[in-house]
Amino acid sequence: MEEYLNQLNESQREAVLYTGGPAMILAGAGSGKTRVLTYKIACLLRQGIPPHRIMALTFTNKAAREMKERVAALTEPHVARRLWMGTFHSIFTRILRNEAELLGYPSGFTIYDSDDSKSLVKSIIKEMSLDDKTYRPGMVNSRISNAKNSLISWKAYEQNKELVESDMNARVPMIREIYKRYQSRCFQAGAMDFDDLLLQTNILFRDHPGVLDKYRRFFEYLLVDEYQDTNFAQHMIVYRLSELHQKICVVGDDAQSIYSFRGANIDNILKFKDQYANCRIFKLERNYRSTQTIVNAANSLIRKNKEQIHKTVYSEKEKGGKILLTYTYSDYEEAYIVASKIAEMRMMERRYVYADFAILYRINAQSRLLEEALRKSNIPYKIYGGLSFYHRKEVKDVIAYLRLIVNPNDEEALKRIINYPARGIGDTTLGKLTAAATEHNLSIWTIIKDPLAHSVQLNSGALRRIEAFRVMMEEFMEHSRKIQADETAAMVVKRTGILDDFVQERSIEAASRIENLEELLKSISEYISIRMEEGEEHVTLAGYLSEISLLTDQDNDKQENEDRVTLMTVHAAKGLEFKNVFITGLEEDLFPSSRAKDSLRAIEEERRLLYVAITRAEENCILTHAQSRFQNGKTNICTPSRFLLDIDAQYLDVPGRRHSDFELRQRQHSPYLQKQPPASPRLSRVSDTSGEPAAPIASPIDISGLGAGVVVKHDRFGTGTIMDIEGEGANTKATVEFDNFGQKQLLLKYARLTIL
């Protein structure tokens, strides 16, 4: 035993050896919590506790496998196999299968995945003759899931005045009835969904005290990983099992509690010591991952949170360089500076490979510009835990509409969107249209224009729905000849109902999809703007589609080359580490999110999210802030994130600027110091779809002061030096050598240049 204990530092060793009662191990970032957990299990086994009497709960199968492998290495493989180690859902499925008959379920009950659950909800909505645009299956599923994770059964739901009133106010009063029918159908089918695995375990322990007592006595010791991420249902199961013997050890870090949107409750870890009177607290404060500067900067940030259990994380690695805070003129320039910096760091430090770099962002939509910049710099990358921007479903759906507008004979695009959003044109109808097209050697669109002339046997309802689809698409085609491509896309998003689908769902996933639609409109607007500045007078939708098809072809590259830069959201980065980390978009209403600014608790979670991001870095951390972001068809001025002021200035390197510059600018716009105007509606550009041609916005041509050698600023490309001016009147062009984009020739009537 001494052999492996010698591999632990003093704090780790104390945490491992203590088994006398309830314990909470506060494991700071990079402090080796997995090692402590596995050594603690090995220690319990050495003390004579049989492996099958130890329950160890994790949040992912990957974490469970890793811990089991480590325990096997410390003991024997057959010993590790007998541990009750796994995710909450997998462990309590075992218990439920043993006791299912007490709840009226068969022991071989089916487990419904999210698709099964959504399909059943959809069927119930249809059977009840409810409007599926009001009762969105995703929204209904989310409400039922939230109720179950709060241990609210369907009976409790319909008796809860607050929930019923909330549904009434949201104009979905039948949620309680859908929940009731959903649960009844699951029961009849002998099935539980994922949330039931926790809800039904709680019901089992509540209604059958003899069963609870049996498992309390059976499990001699409980260990829970990532306790800060537990929800109410998980917390209650753990509490019930450990309430008598109190042989429990939870491991976590309140400073890394970032999943409240999934139901995680930080109070579970903050108040743990209050629920277990004799609780011992062990703090793992040595960070083995990051340099001293990175650790100290992260500490100075998280220290600003009021809700926390204080600890002082430290590092004994080298001091390391300061955190680089890079100020850019635009989000466009931000992306290219990040790509350029990666190339520069690889050139200067030959030991770095692409896999040593990660780019983190607050929302998925930010990846689009970053992907573009990396591709144009020939830097290989991968999206971790998600899809490349143009592969996301909502983006592909809108692009399919745009493809069909440009080319109505595009069969794959038509098949993708003919019944999305749902308009009652099912597979049977589409099959008949396809068969007729094949028989007559015509496109499906040609058949749709006159199905009767091609002997398609359809009932009057199907014919009416096809006609409505044809009329809508022909209106899009007509308008697309009169208005700009981005306005056409905005019209599609609004008129088809794609936007309404996501707005009504009111989930985190739906909000992310709305952000991706905004980013798609932004990408089209950028394409138009850049082409006009470069002198292309007639910018077409077909041209845009051609450009992105080349990008997506590159995205489909299946080379087995793992040496790639990693792109991901900060949420997805938790638990990972990289030598070099870029954290982008540090601006108000982005990081922290606009959805958090009215709640101190939400702001503190956003601060914890940045803490998680910074502590992913081992050697270098680079923060970026853009002065402007192009959103909703216009350039918006951005305020630096309040969190930049929370980081002690001694740990920051701000080239060409003082930290006080950021402080002055942030204070001028701080939400703490003045009331913020209400946020404008999302996708506001979709409201103006009259079909009238939009006149290009061109600046009056004034070349006074412009000439070779003059330093200028461009909203998108940043700073540069004019090399030459040529042409006359409306055709006057400037050749500019930009600091981060190289040489570009811009038409001055569209280019917005400011003399510096």
Side-chain angles (χ1 to χ4, degrees):
M1 187 167 174
E2 282 297 322
E3 180 184 327
Y4 65 80
L5 288 179
N6 288 336
Q7 300 176 36
L8 304 174
N9 65 37
E10 186 177 345
S11 298
Q12 292 173 330
R13 192 179 303 113
E14 287 179 3
V16 164
L17 291 175
Y18 180 73
T19 58
M24 177 167 63
I25 300 175
L26 288 173
S31 62
K33 74 175 178 62
T34 303
R35 169 176 285 194
V36 169
L37 264 176
T38 52
Y39 279 38
K40 191 170 187 71
I41 292 170
C43 181
L44 291 169
L45 293 169
R46 294 285 181 92
Q47 290 179 8
I49 298 179
H52 62 279
R53 307 290 290 275
I54 298 172
M55 178 187 286
L57 300 169
T58 66
F59 270 82
T60 66
N61 289 310
K62 178 183 176 184
R65 281 194 304 272
E66 182 182 350
M67 284 174 57
K68 197 167 285 189
E69 288 169 2
R70 291 195 186 190
V71 171
L74 291 171
T75 56
E76 296 291 340
H78 72 275
V79 172
R81 282 196 295 271
R82 294 174 62 203
L83 292 164
W84 279 63
M85 179 183 289
T87 64
F88 279 86
H89 292 92
S90 66
I91 292 297
F92 296 121
T93 295
R94 291 177 64 181
I95 291 177
L96 286 171
R97 292 209 185 280
N98 291 338
E99 315 294 342
E101 291 182 6
L102 293 174
L103 298 170
Y105 285 86
S107 60
F109 61 81
T110 300
I111 298 175
Y112 280 173
D113 63 18
S114 57
D115 288 339
D116 296 324
S117 299
K118 194 168 184 178
S119 177
L120 178 54
V121 165
K122 194 173 181 179
S123 297
I124 293 170
I125 290 168
K126 187 175 182 180
E127 291 163 11
M128 293 175 66
S129 300
L130 298 173
D131 182 1
D132 62 4
K133 289 185 173 58
T134 301
Y135 290 89
R136 300 292 312 152
M139 177 273 292
V140 175
N141 248 13
S142 179
R143 292 202 179 208
I144 292 174
S145 176
N146 290 339
K148 289 183 177 182
N149 284 321
S150 298
L151 301 185
I152 300 172
S153 66
W154 69 264
K155 289 181 181 178
Y157 194 103
E158 65 179 8
Q159 294 168 7
N160 188 307
K161 290 182 179 179
E162 187 177 335
L163 288 172
V164 171
E165 285 180 10
S166 174
D167 289 344
M168 294 284 284
N169 293 334
R171 299 182 180 179
V172 285
M174 300 305 292
I175 293 284
R176 54 181 171 171
E177 180 62 25
I178 298 172
Y179 185 6
K180 178 181 178 180
R181 294 192 186 195
Y182 173 84
Q183 209 60 22
S184 174
R185 295 276 284 277
C186 285
F187 187 77
Q188 290 169 10
M192 295 188 195
D193 63 23
F194 267 62
D195 299 312
D196 277 325
L197 299 176
L198 301 178
L199 174 64
Q200 295 297 334
T201 302
N202 272 289
I203 290 173
L204 175 70
F205 290 164
R206 182 197 67 191
D207 295 349
H208 301 277
V211 173
L212 173 59
D213 187 60
K214 177 176 72 173
Y215 286 103
R216 278 174 171 170
R217 294 179 185 280
F218 182 77
F219 293 112
E220 294 186 35
Y221 210 95
L222 270 68
L223 299 102
V224 187
D225 191 16
E226 304 286 10
Y227 198 67
Q228 77 280 349
D229 293 335
T230 53
N231 61 28
F232 183 62
Q234 292 161 331
H235 164 73
M236 284 306 300
I237 294 172
V238 169
Y239 181 72
R240 283 184 164 125
L241 286 172
S242 62
E243 188 177 10
L244 291 184
H245 61 62
Q246 300 212 344
K247 295 293 183 69
I248 179 174
C249 176
V250 301
V251 182
D253 182 7
D254 57 294
Q256 297 186 69
S257 178
I258 59 173
Y259 294 122
S260 65
F261 66 93
R262 293 182 187 167
N265 186 353
I266 191 174
D267 287 338
N268 291 345
I269 193 166
L270 293 179
K271 297 180 180 179
F272 183 83
K273 63 181 182 298
D274 299 328
Q275 288 196 305
Y276 295 87
N278 298 315
C279 174
R280 285 278 305 273
I281 298 177
F282 299 91
K283 298 180 180 181
L284 308 184
E285 296 174 306
R286 180 177 174 183
N287 180 302
Y288 288 89
R289 175 188 302 151
S290 309
T291 64
Q292 293 179 32
T293 297
I294 290 172
V295 169
N296 291 338
N299 286 345
S300 70
L301 169 74
I302 203 64
R303 201 173 291 127
K304 305 302 188 298
N305 270 10
K306 293 182 179 178
E307 285 194 313
Q308 63 173 294
I309 303 171
H310 289 281
K311 58 184 176 298
T312 303
V313 180
Y314 66 95
S315 170
E316 293 185 359
K317 294 183 71 175
E318 67 278 6
K319 183 178 180 181
K322 292 185 177 183
I323 290 180
L324 180 64
L325 177 52
T326 301
Y327 170 90
T328 70
Y329 283 106
S330 67
D331 51 347
Y332 196 83
E333 186 186 36
E334 174 189 55
Y336 281 82
I337 283 178
V338 168
S340 175
K341 185 68 176 174
I342 290 172
E344 176 191 324
M345 290 173 73
R346 284 192 75 245
M347 186 178 299
M348 293 178 64
E349 288 279 356
R350 295 290 183 181
R351 63 192 174 91
Y352 289 148
V353 295
Y354 286 121
D356 291 330
F357 296 85
I359 305 173
L360 310 184
Y361 36 81
R362 179 62 184 82
I363 61 174
N364 278 306
Q366 288 174 258
S367 80
R368 200 265 305 174
L369 277 175
L370 293 162
E371 289 182 64
E372 178 184 311
L374 293 171
R375 276 192 296 262
K376 291 186 176 178
S377 301
N378 293 316
I379 295 175
Y381 69 89
K382 61 182 177 182
I383 305 287
Y384 181 91
L387 294 171
S388 178
F389 180 80
Y390 290 106
H391 283 174
R392 292 167 191 161
K393 181 184 182 301
E394 58 277 8
V395 174
K396 292 184 74 172
D397 288 335
V398 175
I399 288 173
Y401 272 102
L402 301 182
R403 284 169 52 186
L404 201 62
I405 289 169
V406 170
N407 173 19
N409 295 321
D410 186 332
E411 182 175 318
E412 291 307 310
L414 186 144
K415 286 179 176 178
R416 183 179 183 92
I417 53 86
I418 192 169
N419 198 40
Y420 180 76
R423 52 177 64 92
I425 304 176
D427 291 342
T428 301
T429 299
L430 180 57
K432 290 179 179 180
L433 294 171
T434 304
T438 302
E439 181 183 346
H440 295 283
N441 198 27
L442 297 169
S443 69
I444 298 176
W445 176 253
T446 303
I447 303 299
I448 283 175
K449 289 199 291 186
D450 195 353
L452 295 179
H454 297 92
S455 305
V456 183
Q457 300 299 312
L458 297 171
N459 61 39
S460 58
L463 286 169
R464 189 169 58 252
R465 289 187 285 271
I466 288 170
E467 175 67 5
F469 174 72
R470 179 191 66 79
V471 169
M472 179 184 70
M473 291 306 305
E474 287 184 343
E475 287 178 359
F476 289 159
M477 293 171 195
E478 178 65 23
H479 286 317
S480 72
R481 290 189 279 271
K482 302 176 184 177
I483 60 179
Q484 292 282 16
D486 55 343
E487 294 171 295
T488 299
M491 183 190 301
V492 166
V493 169
K494 183 178 177 66
R495 288 273 305 279
T496 58
I498 291 175
L499 175 63
D500 290 340
D501 271 8
F502 301 140
V503 169
Q504 291 173 20
E505 190 169 316
R506 296 183 180 180
S507 67
I508 294 293
E509 292 77 11
S512 178
R513 292 188 177 105
I514 291 172
E515 289 163 347
N516 288 336
L517 293 180
E518 289 177 332
E519 187 65 22
L520 177 62
L521 297 187
K522 170 185 168 182
S523 77
I524 303 173
S525 294
E526 271 180 2
Y527 174 81
I528 294 168
S529 179
I530 291 171
R531 293 301 176 274
M532 284 185 167
E533 287 182 347
E534 292 176 347
E536 190 175 324
E537 293 287 348
H538 304 290
V539 185
T540 66
L541 182 57
Y544 171 77
L545 293 173
S546 294
E547 175 154 306
I548 63 166
S549 70
L550 296 176
L551 297 181
T552 53
D553 281 345
Q554 286 182 341
D555 285 345
N556 285 327
D557 181 11
K558 298 295 184 183
Q559 296 178 50
E560 293 298 322
N561 177 12
E562 287 304 311
D563 185 22
R564 295 169 182 261
V565 173
T566 301
L567 277 70
M568 70 180 95
T569 64
V570 182
H571 281 102
K574 187 169 178 289
L576 303 177
E577 56 188 43
F578 301 89
K579 286 187 171 64
N580 308 293
V581 172
F582 291 79
I583 307 169
T584 60
L586 280 159
E587 298 124 37
E588 289 293 307
D589 293 340
L590 181 56
F591 204 165
S593 165
S594 60
R595 291 189 289 270
K597 65 183 181 183
D598 294 328
S599 163
L600 177 61
R601 181 165 256 217
I603 285 293
E604 292 207 342
E605 177 154 329
E606 291 284 306
R607 189 178 283 111
R608 293 195 294 270
L609 192 58
L610 181 55
Y611 174 85
V612 167
I614 292 172
T615 55
R616 299 311 94 197
E618 297 175 13
E619 297 178 10
N620 295 291
C621 183
I622 298 93
L623 312 178
T624 66
H625 150 62
Q627 179 182 337
S628 65
R629 287 192 182 270
F630 193 76
Q631 296 171 309
N632 296 330
K634 63 179 181 180
T635 299
N636 294 320
I637 302 303
C638 302
T639 305
S641 170
R642 69 191 73 185
F643 298 150
L644 294 177
L645 295 181
D646 291 339
I647 302 172
D648 195 316
Q650 67 176 305
Y651 305 120
L652 293 175
D653 177 14
V654 191
R657 294 172 67 85
R658 300 185 306 276
H659 190 253
S660 57
D661 293 338
F662 281 88
E663 182 171 5
L664 175 62
R665 179 168 167 71
Q666 207 278 344
R667 288 189 181 281
Q668 287 172 342
H669 301 278
S670 174
Y672 286 146
L673 302 179
Q674 57 181 328
K675 183 72 177 175
Q676 293 293 298
S680 57
R682 288 197 176 279
L683 281 173
S684 58
R685 299 188 65 243
V686 305
S687 60
D688 182 15
T689 53
S690 61
E692 293 300 317
I697 300 173
S699 305
I701 303 170
D702 178 8
I703 64 170
S704 58
L706 296 179
V710 174
V711 178
V712 294
K713 183 191 82 171
H714 183 278
D715 287 346
R716 187 179 301 105
F717 302 131
T719 56
T721 303
I722 294 178
M723 309 302 291
D724 188 29
I725 300 284
E726 62 182 76
E728 296 179 354
N731 295 318
T732 307
K733 295 180 180 179
T735 301
V736 185
E737 182 73 33
F738 287 103
D739 296 346
N740 294 298
F741 293 89
Q743 198 170 97
K744 289 187 177 291
Q745 191 174 64
L746 305 176
L747 199 62
L748 287 182
K749 70 177 180 180
Y750 293 123
R752 293 174 292 278
L753 298 178
T754 303
I755 298 174
L756 296 179

